[in-house]
Amino acid sequence: MQKRFHKYFWDGLENWSPEYELKRILEYASFPDMLKYPFEEVKENLHKLKLEKLWTSGERKELIIKLAPFVKDSNSWEEAIWAMINFYNKPSIE
């Protein structure tokens, strides 16, 4: 784990599962730090989390839940975010 993320593990850095580490980052990291968390870790572990039970702001939780379906087919945070934006900004057919 990069040193920048150590501050989010105030109760120690030992024996956490990769899923728990990601959960902690999603819940507590600043938004810029969250987006600097290695995407491969996100891709590998996001689907293992109960996203509706994240202990974070409603807006962040909503973002993560809406982003989750796009993570598995993306190679970066940016790619996943753009896929989500494109999906939710489809023109409506009237």
Side-chain angles (χ1 to χ4, degrees):
M1 176 185 321
Q2 296 173 5
K3 190 175 180 178
R4 86 172 337 120
F5 301 113
H6 291 187
K7 62 188 167 195
Y8 302 112
F9 296 87
W10 55 87
D11 45 358
L13 296 167
E14 303 291 323
N15 302 320
W16 301 121
S17 69
E19 300 90 42
Y20 184 79
E21 288 181 7
L22 176 59
K23 181 179 183 290
R24 180 70 68 95
I25 293 300
L26 294 175
E27 290 177 337
Y28 293 104
S30 68
F31 195 74
D33 277 353
M34 183 180 84
L35 294 180
K36 289 178 183 159
Y37 198 71
F39 189 75
E40 284 304 316
E41 293 291 320
V42 176
K43 190 172 183 173
E44 187 174 321
N45 296 298
L46 187 65
H47 70 280
K48 299 174 186 176
L49 301 177
K50 294 180 180 177
L51 300 179
E52 65 282 349
K53 292 191 175 195
L54 288 175
W55 199 61
T56 189
S57 72
E59 293 86 3
R60 183 181 288 211
K61 188 185 302 186
E62 181 181 358
L63 171 67
I64 294 165
I65 289 170
K66 285 184 175 181
L67 185 65
F70 304 98
V71 168
K72 65 180 167 95
D73 295 325
S74 299
N75 295 311
S76 68
W77 280 102
E78 183 177 9
E79 193 176 310
I81 291 168
W82 277 113
M84 179 189 69
I85 290 169
N86 289 334
F87 178 82
Y88 284 106
N89 282 332
K90 284 183 200 172
S92 61
I93 300 173
E94 295 182 23

